C-alpha cells in the first residue's frame, strides 16, 4: 500500500499591514511562519495608511518568503501549491501579495490558490485543534469584520449575521484614539478594562432579535461622553470608561453567538480574527458556553489571532483538496463575499 504524499503549501498574506509568508504541511503542521509587522510605522499616524502599507509590502515580501522557505527547510521545488489572500482587504496591499504569488506560481510551475481572508481566520483554529471538523459556528471579530458564520463544511459557509457599520475592532481603535491611547487601541483597552468598573452607562447597540451587529452608535456615545466631560472640565476615569465600553461590546457579541448556537443546535463554537485575542471576550464566551449542554468552545492560539500566512495556508489546503485552483488572471477583490466565494458558493 503506497503512502499518501505530504502536501506543502507556501502561503502569502498581505491584506492590510502585515507582510507574511508560511509553509504548512498537510493543512495542519506549521513548518514556518514569518511576519513583518508595520505597527510601529503606522502608530505615527494613529492608524493604517494604505499607501504606506503597500510600499512596505513591496520592500519586505521577497525577504519574508525567503525566510519562510529557509525556516521550513524546503525549496520551491518541494512546494505543491502557492496560496495567497486575494480579498477582502486594502487594494494596494492585496495587489502586492497576489502579484508576487502569481509570479512565483508561473516561474516555479506550481498551482495557484486564491484564499478568502476570513476563511483563513476561521481555519486558524485548526492549528491548535487539529481534530476539529465542521459543522460549527464561528464568531469572526477583527478590525475590518464582525461576522457570525455557520460553517457547514470545509469551505462552505452561511453568514447569519454581520456588522451593519463599524466592525468591533474598528470601534476599539477609534475609542482608543479618543482616549489618546497607543495604536492599536484594542489590546490597550482590553488591559484597562480589567482594571476599572463599569460606571459609565452606554447603549447596547442593535439589541434586537437579529444576529447582526452595529458598533458605530456605541463608538459615538463614547466620543460624545468624552467630549462632554472635557467641555465641563470633568475628568474621565479611563479605566472605568474602558470597562464600560468593553462590557457592552463583549455582551452583544457573546449574547448573539450563544443565542444563535441554541437556535441552530451547533455542538462547537469558535472565535476567529484579531479581536479573538481579547481577554474579556474569551472569558465571557468561556463562561457562557459552560451553560450550554454538549457544546464545546475552540479558541485560536494568540499567535494566530492577528493576520498571518499560516491561516491562509490552512484554508488553501482545503481549496487544494477540492481542486479549486486559480489561473494567472486571478485579480484582487477588496470586498470579497465569503458565502459566494467559498467552495459551496454559486
Amino acid at each position: 500500500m503506497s503512502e499518501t504524499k505530504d502536501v506543502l503549501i507556501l502561503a502569502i498574506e498581505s491584506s492590510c499591514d502585515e507582510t507574511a509568508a508560511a509553509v504548512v504541511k498537510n493543512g495542519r503542521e506549521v513548518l514556518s511562519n514569518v511576519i513583518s509587522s508595520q505597527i510601529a510605522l503606522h502608530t505615527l499616524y494613529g492608524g493604517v495608511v494604505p499607501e504606506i502599507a503597500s510600499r512596505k509590502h513591496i520592500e519586505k515580501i521577497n525577504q519574508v518568503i525567503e525566510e519562510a522557505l529557509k525556516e521550513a527547510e524546503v525549496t520551491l521545488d518541494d512546494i505543491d501549491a502557492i496560496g495567497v489572500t486575494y480579498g477582502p482587504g486594502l487594494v494596494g496591499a492585496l495587489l502586492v501579495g497576489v502579484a508576487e504569488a502569481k509570479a512565483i506560481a508561473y516561474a516555479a510551475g506550481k498551482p495557484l490558490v486564491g484564499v478568502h481572508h476570513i476563511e483563513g481566520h476561521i481555519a486558524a483554529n485548526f492549528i491548535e485543534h487539529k481534530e476539529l471538523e465542521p459543522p460549527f459556528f464561528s464568531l469572526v471579530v477583527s478590525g475590518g469584520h464582525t461576522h457570525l458564520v455557520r460553517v457547514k463544511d470545509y469551505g462552505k459557509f452561511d453568514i447569519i449575521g454581520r456588522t451593519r457599520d463599524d466592525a468591533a475592532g474598528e470601534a476599539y481603535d477609534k475609542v482608543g484614539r479618543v482616549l489618546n491611547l497607543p495604536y492599536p487601541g484594542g489590546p490597550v483597552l482590553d488591559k484597562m478594562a480589567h482594571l476599572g468598573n463599569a460606571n459609565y452607562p452606554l447603549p447596547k447597540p442593535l439589541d434586537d432579535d437579529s444576529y447582526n451587529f452595529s458598533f458605530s452608535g456605541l463608538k459615538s456615545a463614547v466620543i460624545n461622553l468624552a467630549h462632554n466631560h472635557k467641555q465641563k472640565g470633568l475628568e474621565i476615569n479611563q479605566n472605568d470608561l474602558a470597562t464600560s465600553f468593553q462590557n457592552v461590546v463583549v455582551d452583544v457579541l457573546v449574547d448573539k453567538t450563544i443565542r444563535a448556537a441554541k437556535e441552530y443546535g451547533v455542538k462547537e463554537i469558535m472565535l476567529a480574527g484579531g479581536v479573538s485575542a481579547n481577554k474579556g471576550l474569551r472569558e465571557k464566551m468561556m463562561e457562557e458556553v459552560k451553560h450550554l449542554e454538549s457544546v464545546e468552545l475552540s479558541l485560536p492560539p494568540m499567535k494566530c489571532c492577528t493576520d498571518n500566512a499560516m491561516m491562509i495556508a490552512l484554508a488553501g489546503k482545503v481549496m487544494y483538496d477540492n481542486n479549486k485552483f486559480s489561473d494567472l488572471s486571478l485579480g484582487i477583490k477588496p470586498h470579497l463575499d465569503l458565502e459566494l466565494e467559498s467552495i459551496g458558493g454559486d
Side-chain angles (χ1 to χ4, degrees), residues 6-243:
D6 290 331
V7 175
L8 299 181
I9 305 289
L10 168 65
I12 298 168
E13 156 63 27
S14 67
S15 63
C16 190
D17 61 339
E18 310 283 4
T19 312
V23 177
V24 174
K25 182 168 73 174
N26 298 331
R28 290 293 189 275
E29 183 181 349
V30 179
L31 302 184
S32 67
N33 180 48
V34 180
I35 302 173
S36 176
S37 175
Q38 300 180 19
I39 287 180
L41 179 60
H42 296 287
T43 296
L44 299 172
Y45 305 95
V48 177
V49 181
E51 294 81 2
I52 294 176
S54 301
R55 289 199 294 271
K56 189 58 66 173
H57 285 311
I58 293 172
E59 292 175 16
K60 293 292 185 178
I61 195 162
N62 285 332
Q63 175 188 338
V64 165
I65 292 170
E66 290 172 2
E67 288 183 18
L69 291 170
K70 182 178 180 180
E71 183 179 309
E73 297 183 344
V74 299
T75 68
L76 278 177
D77 290 337
D78 302 312
I79 298 298
D80 294 284
I82 312 298
V84 63
T85 303
Y86 73 112
L90 302 176
V91 173
L94 288 169
L95 280 169
V96 176
V98 169
E100 180 81 4
K102 290 197 293 187
I104 294 174
Y106 176 76
K110 304 294 181 179
L112 179 66
V113 181
V115 178
H116 193 292
H117 183 75
I118 294 179
E119 184 172 357
H121 274 303
I122 294 172
N125 281 270
F126 297 133
I127 293 174
E128 192 158 290
H129 308 280
K130 291 180 170 55
E131 304 305 316
L132 182 64
E133 294 182 351
F136 49 74
F137 255 46
S138 182
L139 174 65
V140 183
V141 274
S142 67
H145 310 281
T146 304
H147 283 34
L148 189 52
V149 182
R150 185 161 64 106
V151 183
K152 298 177 287 187
D153 201 348
Y154 291 110
K156 298 182 180 180
F157 309 97
D158 179 18
I159 299 176
I160 68 166
R162 67 178 80 204
T163 183
R164 292 307 186 189
D165 40 60
D166 290 354
E170 180 182 358
Y172 266 95
D173 286 340
K174 288 182 177 177
V175 168
R177 192 180 304 171
V178 170
L179 298 181
N180 295 315
L181 302 180
Y183 172 83
V188 183
L189 279 169
D190 185 25
K191 292 179 181 178
M192 293 169 60
H194 286 79
L195 302 174
N197 299 298
N199 291 327
Y200 294 103
L202 294 171
K204 191 172 183 180
L206 210 60
D207 187 17
D208 58 14
D209 294 332
S210 78
Y211 293 119
N212 293 319
F213 305 96
S214 170
F215 296 103
S216 178
L218 174 62
K219 173 200 67 182
S220 297
V222 173
I223 292 173
N224 291 337
L225 188 152
H227 286 173
N228 287 339
H229 274 65
K230 184 176 181 180
Q231 289 173 350
K232 295 176 181 178
L234 301 175
E235 185 176 348
I236 284 275
N237 184 311
Q238 292 200 338
N239 288 340
D240 285 357
L241 184 55
T243 305

Side-chain angles (χ1 to χ4, degrees), residues 204-207 212-215 247-257:
K204 191 172 183 180
L206 210 60
D207 187 17
N212 293 319
F213 305 96
S214 170
F215 296 103
N247 282 3
V248 174
V249 174
V250 168
D251 282 351
V252 72
L253 289 172
V254 174
D255 289 351
K256 295 203 173 193
T257 302

